[in-house]
Amino acid sequence: MIYDCVIVGGGIAGLQAAIQLGRYRHHVAVIDSGNGRSSVCRSYHNLIGFPDGISGVELRLAGRKQAEQLGVTFIQAEVVHAERLNEAFFLKTSDMKTYLGKKLLIATGVKDRLSNLDMLIPCLGTSVYVCPDCDGYEVRDQPTIVLGAGNAGAQMALTLTHWTEELIYVNHELTPIEEELRLKLDQKRIPCIEQAIQTVLIEREQFIGIILADGSSIYRQRCFVAFGGNEVRSSIAKQLGVEVMENNHIVVDPRTKLTSVEDIWAAGDVTAHSEMLTIAMGDGSQAAIWIHKSLLST
């Protein structure tokens, strides 16, 4: 069986593309490992129609149901190998199964690095945030702590001064900070604490605070994390010879989302953009439009 298009990644961009391609009545498969960024976000607040927020799990389930009603096939697995085989793309998954597609859409996204603080995951999107453009509004005029590493955390703290002046930055990994950034932190009166975090305090989905290595504690109900070094999941693209940037984001045509390799598109956070849910949706739809045009011409 050869699918018209195989989508690798079932997050927001991949789901939106699947829905659009399903509406075009193409034979589509989505291969998804189930551990993408949207699967751990407890609430998105910047999406039209959901002023009180909606979780990534709810959004993904709704998107999958909609796509399945359009005949899209979903496969839970991780693609570990990809190559071009004659006129199709040959994909092998971690369970040793294989799939063929005439066209390929890579929507594998980005995985946030949380250092050794995975206990923050239950709070993501409700009281712990990673994107100031998405969720800076959620900490407006509230005491907020930034947990991070070096320059990445310092930059995050400075960015958040647009929403709140009550900020503390904890350089958890004790990574060096450029002198210019230290001066800016001082100018904004943002304390920079050079200590590792011993314990994170949470109650269900609510962040409470932290206990530092010296036993002292800081209590805040809002937290941003910025450790840098997020994993851009572009390994499949590299296997297929697709051009990627130095930071591993996939290079695409801004209009069509086509990569440097014929018949391969990319959408969502794995490409270089603002890493917002709404933009990922647009990417998925735009890629699907041009995949459809390509299928019509073959």
Side-chain angles (χ1 to χ4, degrees):
M1 180 184 296
I2 302 179
Y3 291 96
D4 292 328
C5 181
V6 174
I7 300 172
V8 182
I12 304 305
L15 284 170
Q16 191 65 57
I19 289 168
Q20 185 63 32
L21 287 169
R23 289 173 62 84
Y24 283 132
R25 302 195 295 182
H26 291 303
H27 193 203
V28 179
V30 177
I31 305 177
D32 181 50
S33 62
N35 64 352
R37 200 181 228 177
S38 57
S39 65
V40 296
C41 181
R42 299 304 196 266
S43 188
Y44 290 103
H45 295 94
N46 61 335
L47 182 63
I48 188 171
F50 296 95
D52 297 322
I54 182 172
S55 74
V57 171
E58 290 176 285
L59 204 56
R60 287 168 63 103
L61 286 174
R64 175 167 176 162
K65 181 179 179 181
Q66 188 174 349
E68 286 176 333
Q69 290 172 345
L70 295 164
V72 175
T73 298
F74 282 82
I75 300 154
Q76 183 165 352
E78 179 183 0
V79 176
V80 295
H81 177 76
E83 62 180 284
R84 192 153 204 161
L85 189 64
N86 298 323
E87 298 301 313
F89 294 100
F90 173 85
L91 304 172
K92 181 183 289 187
T93 56
S94 51
D95 56 4
M96 303 307 292
K97 294 182 180 179
T98 59
Y99 303 91
L100 293 172
K102 298 175 185 176
K103 312 292 179 180
L104 181 64
L105 173 60
I106 301 172
T108 40
V110 169
K111 183 176 182 179
D112 295 290
R113 188 172 79 86
L114 297 178
S115 190
N116 59 341
L117 303 176
D118 286 350
M119 63 284 285
L120 292 168
I121 290 175
C123 304
L124 289 174
T126 57
S127 55
V128 174
Y129 311 101
V130 298
C131 173
D133 297 305
C134 302
D135 293 312
Y137 181 80
E138 303 305 319
V139 304
R140 62 198 183 281
D141 303 320
Q142 297 185 59
T144 301
I145 187 169
V146 176
L147 309 181
N151 294 338
Q155 290 280 17
M156 176 65 79
L158 291 167
T159 298
L160 292 173
T161 58
H162 177 77
W163 288 277
T164 181
E165 295 180 353
E166 298 186 66
L167 290 158
I168 296 174
Y169 170 37
V170 178
N171 186 11
H172 171 59
E173 296 183 344
L174 309 180
T175 310
I177 301 172
E178 293 176 3
E179 188 59 30
E180 182 181 353
L181 288 176
R182 283 195 178 276
L183 289 173
K184 289 181 178 179
L185 290 172
D186 289 341
Q187 290 168 359
K188 293 290 185 177
R189 298 181 180 178
I190 301 172
C192 178
I193 298 174
E194 300 283 349
Q195 278 197 65
I197 297 159
Q198 181 186 116
T199 306
V200 173
L201 306 173
I202 64 171
E203 291 182 4
R204 297 185 180 180
E205 296 181 357
Q206 179 60 56
F207 177 83
I208 302 298
I210 59 170
I211 297 176
L212 295 165
D214 67 1
S216 62
S217 56
I218 302 174
Y219 294 96
R220 293 285 188 276
Q221 293 196 335
R222 291 291 182 268
C223 171
F224 262 83
V225 293
F227 290 101
N230 291 345
E231 178 193 356
V232 182
R233 294 173 160 176
S234 55
S235 61
I236 295 302
K238 292 177 183 178
Q239 288 181 30
L240 292 164
V242 170
E243 181 185 359
V244 301
M245 303 169 69
E246 287 185 8
N247 61 8
N248 290 320
H249 284 283
I250 298 173
V251 177
V252 296
D253 182 281
R255 183 184 182 201
T256 65
K257 311 305 173 186
L258 184 65
T259 70
S260 61
V261 175
E262 186 180 5
D263 296 327
I264 303 177
W265 285 259
D269 292 352
V270 75
T271 67
H273 64 35
S274 299
E275 296 189 12
M276 295 179 72
L277 177 143
T278 48
I279 295 175
M281 284 182 169
D283 269 9
S285 290
Q286 190 73 351
I289 289 169
W290 287 91
I291 291 169
H292 169 64
K293 292 178 185 291
S294 178
L295 286 165
L296 290 181
S297 65
T298 56

